[in-house]
């Protein structure tokens, strides 16, 4: 029995080159759809870059490891999160055309096997986490509650995309903390203790990322809007209905606004704000192009957010120089 390509995977290295026996496991971790890795990784890299720029930290071995460690950790934690999501959602996935072929829903991987996959990825990611400073470690542990709750959000709220935003952008806080970002106020020190690195720039960056994710995942949810209605799954796309284009526009405007506040708080130079215009223009292009009745276009626009995230990362890097 061969593993057929999943509907939203497109051309990918897993289907073309991976050994047949490994394909279900790689698809369980969504390695056939690397866009999710990028969207989880980029906030972490942005947080690292923001702290380095804010405090004019010279790039050394530890800082270089942060970029590499966050990349490995993003791959592992995205894989673990997707597998956990598939375990929880297996009955719903069987009823949705786009997800019915997923390894757990289709029976190619057992629930027990999927749990083993989650445990293995999480253990390796934990080893990477322990190389970071105390604040980043505490934040990493704290993220587990967000990850564990996410699959259930679509059952209890119309806005599961908000929860995804809180979760997927947690790396911005971790990256900012791990790279040595901190607040200098002695008054706040007794209150916030090890969480001082979160004040203020890293926090604004995270909030901007939350609205960015709310926008792009609302676009993504347009692919399943009919199936979601039939099976009773809630989403921001269903809630907004005919106002989805306006809603995404508002979310993206807030994403740009909070990113601008983060750059201002971190004392970034004019180069940051110059490139931030390109970030805003990219998001505006998505809103202008969006059509609620075109799932294929929705997927293309969603995937274009890798470029959006890279533009913001470049803005932070340039803001440290100019």
């Amino acid at each position: 029995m061969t593993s057929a390509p999943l509907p939203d995977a497109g051309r990918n290295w897993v289907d073309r080159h991976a050994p047949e026996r490994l394909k279900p496991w790689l698809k369980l971790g969504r390695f056939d759809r690397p866009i999710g890795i990028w969207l989880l990784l980029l906030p972490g890299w942005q947080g690292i870059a923001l702290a380095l720029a804010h405090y004019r930290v010279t790039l050394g071995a530890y800082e270089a490891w942060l970029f590499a460690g966050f990349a490995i950790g993003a791959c592992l934690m995205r894989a673990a999160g997707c597998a956990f999501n598939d375990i929880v959602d297996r009955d719903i996935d069987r009823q949705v055309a786009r997800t019915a072929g997923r390894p757990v829903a289709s029976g190619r991987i057992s629930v027990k096997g999927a749990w083993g996959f989650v445990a293995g990825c999480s253990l390796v990611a934990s080893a990477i986490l322990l190389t970071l400073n105390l604040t980043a470690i505490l934040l990493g542990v704290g993220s587990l509650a967000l990850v564990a709750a996410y699959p259930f959000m679509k059952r209890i709220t119309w806005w599961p995309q908000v929860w995804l935003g809180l979760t997927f952008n947690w790396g911005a806080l971790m990256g900012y903390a791990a790279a040595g970002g901190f607040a200098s106020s002695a008054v706040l020190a007794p209150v916030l203790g090890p969480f001082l690195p979160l004040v203020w720039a890293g926090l604004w960056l995270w909030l901007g990322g939350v609205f960015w994710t709310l926008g792009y995942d609302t676009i993504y949810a347009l692919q399943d809007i009919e199936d979601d209605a039939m099976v009773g799954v809630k989403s921001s796309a269903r809630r907004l209905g005919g106002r989805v284009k306006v809603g995404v526009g508002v979310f993206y405007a807030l994403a740009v606004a909070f990113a601008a506040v983060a750059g201002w708080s971190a004392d970034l130079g004019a180069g940051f704000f110059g490139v931030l215009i390109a970030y805003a223009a990219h998001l505006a292009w998505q809103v202008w192009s969006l059509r609620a009745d075109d799932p294929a276009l929705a997927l293309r626009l969603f995937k274009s957010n890798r470029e959006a995230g890279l533009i913001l990362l470049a803005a932070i890097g340039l803001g440290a120089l100019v």
Side-chain angles (χ1 to χ4, degrees), residues 100-301:
R102 287 179 175 175
V104 177
S106 65
R108 290 183 61 82
I109 292 179
S110 68
V111 172
K112 182 178 180 181
W115 275 118
F117 182 87
V118 172
C121 291
S122 299
L123 284 173
V124 179
S126 297
I128 295 173
L129 180 65
L130 292 175
T131 67
L132 308 181
N133 60 29
L134 175 61
T135 306
I137 291 172
L138 292 175
L139 285 167
V141 173
S143 71
L144 296 178
L146 294 170
V147 174
Y150 170 68
F152 303 98
M153 290 297 110
K154 63 175 71 73
R155 295 166 170 83
I156 63 177
T157 176
W158 285 104
W159 300 96
Q161 282 71 26
V162 174
W163 199 267
L164 183 67
L166 298 173
T167 306
F168 249 55
N169 293 279
W170 201 252
L173 298 177
M174 290 182 61
Y176 188 78
F182 66 94
S184 61
S185 172
V187 175
L188 292 176
V191 179
L192 296 179
F195 293 98
L196 277 175
L198 305 187
V199 183
W200 294 94
L203 180 62
W204 302 132
L205 181 67
W206 174 63
L207 289 173
V210 171
F211 283 105
W212 176 46
T213 300
L214 179 53
Y216 71 61
D217 204 53
T218 297
I219 294 174
Y220 187 78
L222 289 171
Q223 298 177 93
D224 300 327
I225 198 164
E226 293 182 1
D227 286 337
D228 285 350
M230 287 190 294
V231 300
V233 169
K234 299 177 179 180
S235 73
S236 54
R238 287 189 62 206
R239 186 71 179 91
L240 289 167
R243 298 170 296 174
V244 68
K245 195 164 186 170
V246 173
V248 172
V250 171
F251 303 149
Y252 278 168
L254 289 169
V256 174
F258 278 116
V261 174
W264 174 79
S265 300
D267 297 320
L268 298 185
F272 169 79
F273 295 97
V275 180
L276 189 67
I277 294 173
Y279 176 63
H282 189 289
L283 298 183
W285 165 77
Q286 291 185 41
V287 175
W288 179 81
S289 303
L290 184 63
R291 294 198 302 273
D293 59 350
D294 191 338
L297 175 62
L299 180 60
R300 290 197 300 273
L301 294 175

Side-chain angles (χ1 to χ4, degrees), residues 43-53 63 66-67 70 171-172 174-176 178-179:
W45 276 0
Q46 291 165 4
I48 295 167
L50 187 66
L52 296 181
E63 290 74 24
L66 287 181
F67 286 103
F70 269 64
M174 290 182 61
Y176 188 78

